[in-house]
């Protein structure tokens, strides 16, 4: 019998077990831990006395995972992080029910084999669901914890981060069988061996990105933290309407001053590149705080800087546009003659940071944390920009680097280099900068294209076409301009060709399983056995029992 005290201990254990995988992500970056991190949670779920209890512990564990991986959001969301985690935790309930059903008791034979396929598929469905931008986007996908493991990056070139997630969960599932179900050790060992063979085959036989022979010299300008500068914003973008109160006017003036100092610092650092022969200079997100059409003086300064350095500048304008209503975050290419006309407006905005979902209902979040006081506007389409030497670059802004489909689309449009402009200064002393920078390795490997992650305050880093890091990363304490030589590649990876096929395969596997279960549930039962004959009476008048 399960006592009330036991229920509470199990609930607390579910939250703690769900939080464990966070240690596999940066900053701890214990990548190997991902292959065992789910075992305690799965052991708890398989022992749940009822399906209802498994659903509860799956929900609580999912919420624990979200809080642990995103704990650095607390300065911005405060207590609002908890209801967000509880909402997203619901996505792990189907997976928890699968774990109990397929791994509970003493599974062996077909049920153990099915568990090794369907439990990873169930986990992937939860990742696909929360990867929708409206639910926050694909941050903290389990496969992303393998960003520094070359064999895992090779798998990403085949099926994206999704294939890596499937493999990691499959290994965890096999370990659960090895620990808890001795009769299922054969399929468990076979599964681990299969994962190793698959990885080895991909590593040894799959063609690597083919070098085109070209090299692009890219300079990343990281000005460092500016006192009183809001993260990724300047001027009226977060300060609100000016003139309403003295406090608001002061805040807007401080933000404008910080934005100007940031511009000056970037201009000075870019000047140090004169004579170093670079092909492109990249500034971080919100590196320019006013619309260039409304500030021709800033446009002229950028054009003169481009002429001095001998390379175009890719800046990021975070401001109210002069040609249309609303605030946009835009990647703008500036050459010696000024803006080239190539501009990308950010399409996927950060929930609460750049817009408040259902503001009429959730607008109160602005008074609790640092939620956006005014929603930014979305861009309409991705853009590929051409450099003077003919190289084409695909810009992304901020957490758009977390979305595999966006980088894939830019690659399909002809981008030879992927560039993400970011800012995480609000989370400067947390795990966020390292987590964000690590995503570039996955995107580079998935697409077979070099990836530049340029930030205002670190961590800035550059990856080659296979996902390996090029040169040193710029830490959160750095204020500098660094030059990197990017080897260009050609050809197409399987992920670029076929997209998220592991997600489709997972959906099909679970649909087939549900159809089989449904068919069994509605199948007519066996004919009821004929009622047995009345028991014969013995001479003593007692009933004779059958079989005697």
């Amino acid at each position: 019998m399960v006592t009330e005290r036991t229920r509470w201990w199990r609930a607390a254990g579910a939250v703690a077990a769900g939080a464990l995988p966070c240690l596999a992500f940066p900053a701890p970056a214990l990548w190997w831990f991902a292959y065992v991190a789910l075992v305690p949670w799965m052991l708890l779920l398989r022992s749940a006395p009822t399906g209802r209890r498994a659903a509860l512990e799956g929900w609580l564990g999912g919420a624990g995972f979200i809080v642990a991986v995103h704990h650095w959001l607390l300065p911005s969301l405060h207590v609002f992080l908890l209801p967000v985690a509880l909402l997203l935790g619901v996505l792990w309930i189907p997976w928890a029910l699968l774990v109990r059903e397929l791994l509970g008791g003493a599974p062996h034979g077909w049920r153990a084999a099915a568990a090794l396929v369907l439990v990873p598929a169930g986990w992937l469905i939860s990742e696909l669901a929360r990867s929708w931008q409206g639910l926050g986007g694909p941050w903290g996908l389990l496969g992303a914890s393998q960003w520094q493991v070359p064999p895992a990056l090779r798998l990403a070139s085949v099926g994206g981060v999704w294939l890596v997630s499937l493999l990691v969960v499959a290994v965890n599932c096999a370990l659960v069988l090895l620990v808890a179900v001795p009769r299922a050790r054969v399929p468990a060992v076979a599964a681990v061996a299969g994962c190793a063979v698959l990885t080895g085959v991909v590593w040894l036989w799959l063609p690597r990105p083919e070098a085109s022979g070209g090299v692009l010299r890219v300079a990343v300008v990281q000005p460092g933290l500016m006192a009183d500068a809001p993260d990724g914003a300047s001027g009226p973008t977060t300060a609100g309407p000016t003139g309403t109160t003295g406090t608001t006017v002061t805040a807007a003036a401080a933000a404008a001053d910080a934005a100007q100092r940031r511009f000056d610092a970037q201009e000075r650092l870019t000047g140090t590149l004169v004579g170093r022969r670079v092909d492109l200079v990249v500034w971080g997100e919100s590196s320019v705080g006013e619309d260039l059409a409304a500030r021709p003086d800033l446009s002229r300064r950028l054009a003169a800087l481009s002429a001095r350095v001998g390379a175009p500048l890719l800046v990021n304008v975070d401001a109210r546009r002069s040609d249309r209503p609303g605030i946009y975050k835009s990647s703008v290419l500036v050459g010696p003659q000024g803006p080239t006309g190539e501009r990308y407006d950010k399409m996927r905005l950060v929930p609460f940071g750049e817009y408040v979902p259902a503001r009429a209902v959730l607008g109160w979040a602005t008074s609790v944390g640092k939620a956006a006081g005014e929603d930014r506007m979305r861009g309409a389409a991705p853009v590929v920009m051409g450099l003077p030497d003919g190289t084409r670059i695909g810009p992304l802004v901020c957490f758009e680097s977390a979305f595999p489909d966006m980088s894939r689309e830019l690659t399909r449009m002809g981008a030879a280099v992927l560039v993400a402009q970011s800012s995480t200064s609000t989370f400067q002393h947390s795990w966020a900068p390292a987590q964000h920078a690590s995503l570039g390795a996955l995107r580079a490997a998935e697409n077979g294209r070099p990836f530049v992650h340029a930030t205002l305050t670190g961590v800035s880093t550059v990856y080659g076409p296979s996902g390996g890091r090029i040169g040193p990363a710029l830490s959160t304490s750095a204020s500098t301009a660094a030059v990197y030589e990017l080897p260009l590649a050609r050809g197409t990876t399987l992920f670029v060709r076929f997209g998220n096929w592991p997600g489709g395969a997972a959906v099909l596997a679970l649909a087939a399983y549900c159809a089989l279960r449904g068919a069994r549930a509605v199948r007519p039962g066996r004919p009821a056995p004929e009622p047995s004959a009345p028991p014969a009476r013995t001479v003593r008048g007692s009933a004779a029992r059958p079989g005697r």
Side-chain angles (χ1 to χ4, degrees):
M1 181 178 179
V2 180
T3 65
E4 191 66 27
R5 183 176 181 181
T6 301
R7 291 191 184 96
W8 281 105
W9 276 111
R10 287 184 64 94
V15 174
L20 281 178
C22 76
L23 299 176
F25 295 90
L30 305 177
W31 63 266
W32 54 266
F33 187 63
Y35 295 92
V36 299
L38 297 180
V39 171
W41 191 8
M42 294 170 72
L43 289 174
L44 184 70
L45 293 172
R46 73 178 292 273
S47 67
T50 64
R52 183 176 180 180
R53 188 71 202 181
L56 174 64
E57 292 168 359
W59 175 43
L60 293 175
F65 176 81
I66 292 296
V67 170
V69 174
H70 300 81
H71 69 274
W72 42 268
L73 284 172
L74 281 169
S76 294
L77 293 185
H78 294 286
V79 296
F80 201 70
L81 179 59
L82 182 58
V84 169
L86 291 173
L87 171 65
L88 295 178
V90 172
L91 299 175
W92 275 271
I93 290 178
W95 176 74
L97 294 174
L98 275 173
V99 171
R100 179 180 181 273
E101 181 171 343
L102 296 173
L103 295 176
H108 64 280
W110 74 267
R111 190 152 70 97
L116 291 166
V117 173
L118 296 174
V119 169
W123 178 277
L124 191 60
I125 294 301
S126 70
E127 290 198 337
L128 291 172
R130 70 185 181 89
S131 295
W132 177 48
Q133 196 266 332
L135 290 179
W139 194 286
L141 302 182
L142 196 58
S145 65
Q146 306 303 295
W147 64 278
Q148 55 186 326
V149 183
L153 292 174
R154 295 286 289 154
L155 285 174
S157 72
V158 176
V161 67
W162 317 109
L163 182 58
V164 184
S165 287
L166 279 176
L167 180 138
V168 171
V169 181
V171 172
N172 276 273
C173 188
L175 291 178
V176 170
L177 290 173
L178 285 171
V179 169
V181 189
R183 297 176 64 186
R185 286 176 179 171
V186 171
V189 171
V192 174
C195 290
V197 169
L198 171 65
T199 304
V201 168
V202 169
W203 175 260
L204 293 174
W205 299 104
L206 194 74
R208 284 166 169 74
E210 182 182 355
S212 66
V215 173
L216 192 74
R217 289 176 57 84
V218 177
V220 174
V221 175
Q222 180 178 298
L225 199 64
M226 299 285 117
D228 302 320
D231 176 47
S234 56
T237 58
T238 57
T242 59
T244 55
T245 65
T247 302
T248 304
V249 171
T250 302
D257 177 67
Q260 185 60 53
R261 286 186 286 112
R262 174 179 288 155
F263 187 96
D264 294 342
Q266 292 167 131
E267 187 177 38
R268 174 179 54 79
L269 290 171
T270 304
T272 65
L273 299 171
V274 174
R276 298 183 63 181
R277 196 182 64 78
V278 295
D279 300 306
L280 175 67
V281 180
V282 183
W283 289 13
E285 178 187 11
S286 305
S287 48
V288 177
E290 296 191 57
D291 184 57
L292 294 178
R295 288 290 305 272
D297 57 320
L298 294 182
S299 182
R300 286 192 296 269
R301 287 172 64 178
L302 290 171
L305 192 58
S306 172
R308 287 174 55 204
V309 174
L313 314 178
L314 184 67
V315 301
N316 188 269
V317 178
D318 182 1
R320 197 175 302 279
R321 289 183 62 162
S322 58
D323 59 341
R324 63 183 65 176
I327 303 168
Y328 288 81
K329 280 192 176 181
S330 306
S331 299
V332 178
L333 195 64
V334 181
Q337 306 303 319
T340 64
E342 296 185 288
R343 176 188 188 118
Y344 166 66
D345 296 324
K346 185 178 182 182
M347 297 170 61
R348 296 184 183 173
L349 306 178
V350 180
F352 297 100
E354 294 170 338
Y355 79 103
V356 176
R359 183 177 287 273
V361 178
L362 301 177
W364 57 270
T366 59
S367 62
V368 176
K370 298 179 180 178
E374 178 182 348
D375 292 350
R376 285 175 171 80
M377 308 300 289
R378 301 177 189 272
V383 173
V384 172
M385 303 176 179
L387 300 183
D389 66 352
T391 303
R392 304 182 74 191
I393 63 172
L396 300 163
V397 182
C398 191
F399 92 141
E400 289 182 333
S401 64
F403 292 86
D405 65 302
M406 296 195 72
S407 298
R408 175 174 178 259
E409 180 61 23
L410 289 171
T411 302
R412 290 167 65 89
M413 292 172 62
V417 178
L418 302 170
V419 182
Q421 298 172 293
S422 178
S423 171
T424 51
S425 55
T426 293
F427 314 107
Q428 190 75 351
H429 303 293
S430 71
W431 295 0
Q435 283 185 15
H436 200 175
S438 71
L439 297 175
L442 273 300
R443 304 294 87 84
E446 288 168 346
N447 296 280
R449 297 292 183 268
F451 193 100
V452 178
H453 180 78
T455 74
L456 292 178
T457 60
V459 174
S460 297
T461 190
V462 176
Y463 300 96
S466 296
R469 194 162 64 190
I470 296 176
L474 304 183
S475 70
T476 53
S477 62
S479 176
T480 187
V483 179
Y484 300 87
E485 290 192 354
L486 277 62
L488 302 181
R490 58 191 171 200
T492 304
T493 65
L494 292 178
F495 175 73
V496 172
R497 288 183 186 177
F498 302 111
N500 182 17
W501 61 264
V507 171
L508 288 176
L510 290 171
Y513 176 69
C514 291
L516 180 62
R517 288 295 306 273
R520 287 183 174 180
V522 300
R523 182 185 303 170
R526 294 179 179 177
E530 294 292 332
S532 58
R537 295 281 179 178
T538 66
V539 293
R540 296 182 180 178
S542 61
R545 297 184 180 275
R548 287 199 176 183

